[in-house]
Amino acid sequence: MKKFVIYLSVLFITATNALAQVAINSDNSTPDNSAMLDIKSTTKGMLVPRMTAVQRDAISNPATGLLIYVTDNNQYYTNKGIPAAPNWVMTSSQWLNYGNNIAFTPGNVGIGNYNPVLKLQVTGKIGAEWGSPTQASYVFGDGYENTGFSSPDVGTIAVINSGVERVRFTYDGNMGVGTASPNSSALIDVSSVTKGFLPPRMTTLQRNTIGTPAEGLVIYNTDEKMLNVYNGMSWKSMIPTPEFACGFTLGINHAVANGAAPVNKTTTYGTVTGIPGEPAKCWITSNLGADHQATAVNDATEPSAGWHWQFNLKQGYKHDGTTRTPNTTWISSITETSDWISVNDPCMIELGNGWRVPTVTEWTNVKVGGGWTNWSGPYNSDLKLHAAGGLFSGGSLMSRGSYGYYWSSNGMSSATSASFLDFHSGGIIVTMTLKTIGCSVRCVK
């Protein structure tokens, strides 16, 4: 026993009595002046007390700075509290997985996640300050730009850009752009006095390649220079109010699915107002279904003639001189006392609300107001009415290039006859014809 004490004294312990310092080493070196205990070795380490977390927490009145090693997670802990209220803190320089605490893998941090694969990966909720309309609580970049998100009101989310609220989502799901109080009736409320709203801009050809467009889809047509909306069956031009629209072209995508057009095609109609006798009305300047205006009063071509309708029936017919489309069984008897009803009116169906077949009074007024005495009057007017002919017995084509037959929407003399405008080279009259006759339609608004 005596030899063992001497051996320790010589090889391991050098005591400096004056300074009450202790050195433990194998080279008899003196302790560092700043250390009460200086342990030196190149072959062995130092062991502090090892225990479980339960045993650690059972230490009575642990001194502030007390160091122990917890075997549950193989980490050092020190008491940063006071003996009466200990606060055991892990002393590791890098975070490691331990229960639901913060976890660290090289370059990645996880909160509630044991193996983060992103720079920051959180399992659970993340909280931030509420912020305000001018102060983001969740910021991007270095934070000095004050750009990010905030929640300036109950249940709201705001997008802050350089200290200014640009977009707000309200508690009921409404979105305000340029306004913190979006109208409750609007899912998206855009407010500005310096900027407008730009929908997608494309040509008619590009529009027509959109696959299965949704009802209500809106684009700006660069060919027509106006908005187009898909009504579930075809594209319609969104024209301005009548007094503003006249004089502008009207681009229409005719579709068989609407029930009035005999074929699918896109047509552009001119519009005109100031017609003598009915100066306040807006008219299209070619027949409904025509590709263009007639080149002469006796133009006998189908592209100039347009389509033909029987009275108060919405189905139109195209006749190219040989074949009628659709080539269905011709309706040879119509007996009724109704005017042309709006749900069957091809003008409203094809051109939109407000457009309709002219009344007998309107035809009479423009005939008298224009001083028409034969077919030269209607053709030389801004309406450019010409001899487009009609469909008679069995739906056969007659009188194209020699007579013009244009329906009115009312003015019946019997259940089988209705009023129409009839003209040729020798005269013009507003009179009656059988409702089964297929006449041209010129729309008015």
Side-chain angles (χ1 to χ4, degrees):
M1 182 66 179
K2 181 177 180 181
K3 291 181 179 180
F4 178 75
V5 173
I6 295 172
Y7 178 75
L8 289 176
S9 301
V10 173
L11 296 180
F12 298 101
I13 303 176
T14 299
T16 304
N17 294 329
L19 297 175
Q21 292 177 288
V22 176
I24 302 176
N25 53 60
S26 59
D27 59 2
N28 293 324
S29 60
T30 60
D32 188 275
N33 288 333
S34 65
M36 291 294 295
L37 174 63
D38 187 347
I39 302 175
K40 181 189 296 184
S41 176
T42 59
T43 59
K44 296 181 180 181
M46 182 184 73
L47 280 176
V48 300
R50 289 141 292 170
M51 63 189 72
T52 67
V54 172
Q55 292 169 330
R56 175 202 64 192
D57 294 339
I59 297 175
S60 178
N61 295 314
T64 299
L66 190 66
L67 180 69
I68 58 97
Y69 183 83
V70 174
T71 56
D72 293 340
N73 63 338
N74 298 323
Q75 296 293 322
Y76 286 97
Y77 283 82
T78 185
N79 180 19
K80 288 193 174 183
I82 60 176
N87 177 24
W88 293 103
V89 178
M90 190 167 64
T91 62
S92 301
S93 61
Q94 292 184 340
W95 306 319
L96 299 175
N97 298 339
Y98 180 51
N100 291 323
N101 291 332
I102 295 177
F104 176 90
T105 59
N108 299 326
V109 174
I111 301 177
N113 185 291
Y114 293 101
N115 187 28
V117 295
L118 305 175
K119 292 298 181 182
L120 176 61
Q121 194 166 344
V122 179
T123 300
K125 297 179 179 179
I126 301 176
E129 296 178 351
W130 293 108
S132 71
T134 58
Q135 182 63 53
S137 56
Y138 182 89
V139 297
F140 297 103
D142 56 17
Y144 289 106
E145 292 182 353
N146 191 14
T147 295
F149 302 116
S150 75
S151 182
D153 203 351
V154 178
T156 66
I157 299 175
V159 179
I160 309 299
N161 190 327
S162 298
V164 178
E165 180 178 328
R166 307 294 184 181
V167 180
R168 178 176 292 206
F169 299 90
T170 64
Y171 69 92
D172 52 0
N174 293 353
M175 175 182 174
V177 180
T179 175
S181 303
N183 190 284
S184 60
S185 66
L187 185 61
I188 302 177
D189 185 350
V190 181
S191 178
S192 177
V193 295
T194 58
K195 298 180 180 179
F197 170 75
L198 270 179
R201 302 166 297 286
M202 63 189 73
T203 65
T204 300
L205 180 62
Q206 292 168 330
R207 179 203 68 186
N208 291 343
T209 61
I210 297 175
T212 60
E215 183 175 355
L217 191 68
V218 176
I219 63 99
Y220 179 81
N221 190 314
T222 55
D223 292 333
E224 299 175 2
K225 307 301 181 186
M226 64 179 63
L227 293 174
N228 290 177
V229 62
Y230 192 76
N231 68 0
M233 294 182 291
S234 64
W235 288 98
K236 298 294 183 183
S237 299
M238 298 173 63
I239 64 172
T241 56
E243 63 271 19
F244 178 74
C246 272
F248 289 85
T249 57
L250 185 62
I252 298 296
N253 186 33
H254 295 292
V256 172
N258 289 348
V263 295
N264 297 321
K265 73 173 182 179
T266 298
T267 301
T268 300
Y269 298 96
T271 61
V272 66
T273 190
I275 299 298
E278 290 289 348
K281 305 293 173 60
C282 186
W283 304 73
I284 58 174
T285 59
S286 55
N287 292 346
L288 187 59
D291 291 345
H292 49 71
Q293 282 185 339
T295 58
V297 68
N298 61 348
D299 188 337
T301 62
E302 184 278 327
S304 298
W307 303 326
H308 304 274
W309 278 265
Q310 294 178 295
F311 186 82
N312 198 24
L313 298 181
K314 68 179 180 179
Q315 177 62 67
Y317 297 92
K318 170 185 174 181
H319 205 298
D320 62 7
T322 303
T323 303
R324 173 170 52 85
T325 304
N327 195 20
T328 53
T329 301
W330 188 251
I331 298 173
S332 58
S333 177
I334 299 176
T335 303
E336 61 179 6
T337 58
S338 173
D339 292 339
W340 208 315
I341 61 176
S342 60
V343 293
N344 287 342
D345 192 318
C347 293
M348 188 189 75
I349 294 171
E350 293 302 306
L351 305 186
N353 290 334
W355 291 98
R356 55 180 174 76
V357 176
T359 65
V360 64
T361 300
E362 287 168 332
W363 278 134
T364 301
N365 289 344
V366 296
K367 172 183 173 294
V368 174
W372 299 348
T373 57
N374 56 35
W375 67 0
S376 297
Y379 183 73
N380 291 330
S381 75
D382 288 338
L383 295 179
K384 287 294 180 184
L385 298 168
H386 80 294
L391 306 183
F392 286 76
S393 178
S396 59
L397 178 65
M398 293 184 64
S399 306
R400 182 174 289 171
S402 57
Y403 277 80
Y405 306 115
Y406 290 81
W407 276 125
S408 66
S409 61
N410 61 351
M412 293 172 291
S413 61
S414 71
T416 59
S417 298
S419 298
F420 79 131
L421 176 68
D422 176 7
F423 58 79
H424 53 89
S425 61
I428 185 168
I429 189 173
V430 178
T431 185
M432 301 287 177
T433 191
L434 292 175
K435 295 179 179 179
T436 55
I437 301 300
C439 296
S440 300
V441 166
R442 182 61 67 91
C443 301
V444 65
K445 188 173 185 178

